[in-house]
Amino acid sequence: MSSVEPINLLGLDSAKLVELVGQWGGKPFRARQLQRWVHQRGVSGFDAMTDLAREFRQQLAAQCYVSAPPVSVEQRSSDGTRKWLFDVGKNNAIETVFIPEDDRGTLCISSQAGCTVACPFCSTGYQGFNRNLTTAEIIGQLWHARRVLQADAPSARTVAGEPGGADRVISNVVMMGMGEPLLNYDQVLGALRLMLDDNAYGLSRRRVTVSTSGVVPMMDRLGQDCPVALAVSLHAPNDALRDRLVPLNRKYPLAELLAACNRYLEHAPRDFITFEYIMLDGVNDAPEQAAELITIAKQVRCKFNLIPFNPFAQSGLKRSPMPRIRLFAQRLQDAGIVTTVRKTRGDDIDAACGQLAGDVKDRTRINERLPHRATIAITEE
Ligand code: SAH
Ligand code: SF4
């Protein structure tokens, strides 16, 4: 036996799995069977894969394994939201949040431990950058959540109108957890391919969303390689303010970002981009800023999602008052722009956007000891 590193099968998209199985003389059909065992049935032990030949199983056991990062904390909110904290080593933790709704179940997953973009309103930004997650760690979040939710069925809520119930508990995935997915492009791409693969998670492209702070060249690549729904974190209506709120804007200013959005729309599965706009008291919530934003919105087919800021101690920022958020939304709506305000879910387990260690409200909670943040999916009011 050679002493090659064992391979985590969660990290292999179908092409790579076919290649691996091919090296052992196996047909692509075998790789597909294996993929279904691993991702669809959530099986990690090769012995249980009864329709695979014994030698093949032995080969797999000798050289491969199936494993998601270990879960250090699991929490459940009174509103059904669930949160897992995964230990990715060296004191790094990442979060995954599941948000059940009547017509869908959304899993919010992380792409990096920390983030280099350092937006001042985001607790991940304050952590700095630790490392990129691997495809296995990204897909491992989905693999684990799906397994747990399936095991909980039939008590888990099912998605209305979809037969198979528990099988479809997770109908949507949003890459809105920790990290900037497009700065970990190759590993994220592998994970996206598995999400869409019929032999793995079989999600529709329209139900998989990448959220980006605006990594222009990678938006172009994503449009070519694997067009899925795209959310762009806009947060400011002009370069001067966006340079401060989303420092990556200094590299890829608004005009370039908007042009990239339009190029993306040529390939996108949806005919609009979702612009996310965090509502910060006295920073980006004035009527003139709404007016500026309308000019921008006219340049791209888009919908707006206004996100009430989730405060944390170090940020020194405050959430816009709700009446101001509603007024801001109304201005955009009056200009013909579809606008929603994101609802906060999972408050009692700190599963809302950007919550982290040291948040005044959260002093007694586990989050205080485990610096991280999580965000929730787009939820329309
Ligand atoms: N890096 C990517 C994806 C992760 S952040 C991006 O920036 O788009 C996902 C969303 O959570 C972003 O729109 C981000 O602006 C938002 N977010 C970050 N911190 C937040 C906070 N404290 N309150 C509310 N939303 C926050
Ligand atoms: Fe990174 Fe997104 Fe947080 Fe900005 S908002 S620091 S890009 S995770």
Side-chain angles (χ1 to χ4, degrees):
M1 263 292 326
S2 65
S3 60
V4 278
E5 279 280 297
I7 301 164
N8 189 352
L9 295 184
L10 288 185
L12 304 187
D13 62 22
S14 68
K16 288 188 178 135
L17 199 62
V18 165
E19 195 186 312
L20 179 76
V21 171
Q23 283 168 14
W24 302 331
K27 296 252 158 36
F29 168 71
R30 292 283 163 223
R32 285 194 289 274
Q33 263 182 317
L34 175 58
Q35 201 174 20
R36 288 197 291 268
W37 275 111
V38 171
H39 296 286
Q40 290 184 350
R41 302 197 207 171
V43 171
S44 55
F46 300 115
D47 278 348
M49 304 182 181
T50 43
D51 59 358
L52 302 182
R54 186 182 298 266
E55 301 93 272
F56 184 31
R57 280 188 269 154
Q58 281 167 350
Q59 214 144 16
L60 287 166
Q63 300 190 36
C64 305
Y65 65 102
V66 176
S67 148
V71 173
S72 41
V73 183
E74 179 178 347
Q75 287 172 291
R76 216 188 264 231
S77 158
S78 54
D79 68 10
T81 302
R82 294 173 75 148
K83 183 171 88 168
W84 294 270
L85 192 65
F86 292 92
D87 176 359
V88 291
K90 298 197 176 148
N91 268 335
N92 292 322
I94 54 151
E95 272 191 352
T96 306
V97 179
F98 174 69
I99 307 113
E101 291 174 87
D102 290 340
D103 59 343
R104 64 190 148 180
T106 304
L107 193 73
C108 174
I109 65 181
S110 297
S111 57
Q112 298 180 308
C115 183
T116 50
V117 182
C119 304
F121 53 81
C122 173
S123 59
T124 304
Y126 277 82
Q127 271 183 51
F129 179 64
N130 299 311
R131 70 170 174 85
N132 281 327
L133 299 183
T134 61
T135 296
E137 289 166 327
I138 299 168
I139 218 68
Q141 299 166 62
L142 174 56
W143 183 80
H144 178 82
R146 196 167 185 264
R147 261 178 130 203
V148 170
L149 294 168
Q150 270 176 0
D152 280 6
S155 62
R157 290 175 67 180
T158 55
V159 174
E162 298 236 20
D167 216 36
R168 282 278 171 222
V169 170
I170 299 171
S171 58
N172 295 47
V173 171
V174 295
M175 302 223 54
M176 294 187 184
M178 286 172 68
E180 169 48 57
L182 296 188
L183 288 177
N184 183 16
Y185 186 80
D186 292 340
Q187 301 298 319
V188 165
L189 183 64
L192 293 173
R193 287 191 166 136
L194 281 166
M195 290 175 206
L196 304 180
D197 197 315
D198 283 339
N199 291 303
Y201 301 92
L203 295 171
S204 130
R205 286 179 189 283
R206 301 157 56 86
R207 288 172 174 264
V208 172
T209 302
V210 166
S211 174
T212 180
S213 55
V215 190
V216 165
M218 295 301 154
M219 288 166 64
D220 285 327
R221 279 188 63 189
L222 188 67
Q224 297 292 332
D225 295 341
C226 190
V228 290
L230 189 70
V232 170
S233 291
L234 200 59
H235 305 319
N238 56 57
D239 281 319
L241 184 58
R242 196 163 189 274
D243 279 353
R244 281 168 46 212
L245 292 182
V246 187
L248 193 69
N249 194 69
R250 295 173 203 157
K251 198 161 177 192
Y252 307 113
L254 274 173
E256 284 182 35
L257 178 60
L258 299 178
C261 288
N262 280 324
R263 289 194 296 276
Y264 193 85
L265 281 172
E266 290 168 22
H267 310 278
R270 289 181 180 267
D271 61 0
F272 61 90
I273 302 281
T274 301
F275 283 135
E276 297 168 276
Y277 193 92
I278 193 162
M279 297 302 295
L280 297 164
D281 187 18
V283 175
N284 64 355
D285 60 353
E288 311 78 70
Q289 287 160 322
E292 259 184 298
L293 212 49
I294 290 166
T295 322
I296 285 186
K298 299 274 181 213
Q299 297 169 49
V300 178
R301 274 201 313 277
C302 65
K303 291 187 181 174
F304 265 79
N305 193 230
L306 304 183
I307 312 171
F309 169 61
N310 286 312
F312 55 97
Q314 300 98 311
S315 73
L317 297 161
K318 284 193 294 200
R319 176 188 292 185
S320 308
M322 224 13 160
R324 188 133 25 101
I325 297 181
R326 296 208 179 285
L327 200 65
F328 200 89
Q330 194 58 54
R331 285 176 196 276
L332 298 184
Q333 258 151 10
D334 289 348
I337 302 158
V338 176
T339 306
T340 52
V341 178
R342 188 179 294 179
K343 270 189 224 157
T344 296
R345 291 280 304 265
D347 265 351
D348 53 343
I349 57 164
D350 307 330
C353 310
Q355 292 192 329
L356 88 163
D359 186 342
V360 220
K361 298 200 305 278
D362 304 329
R363 252 182 226 301
T364 57
R365 309 254 173 81
I366 189 78
N367 287 8
E368 199 171 37
R369 282 174 286 129
L370 297 162
H372 60 277
R373 61 166 287 277
T375 189
I376 62 164
I378 294 166
T379 307
E380 281 143 39
E381 286 209 314

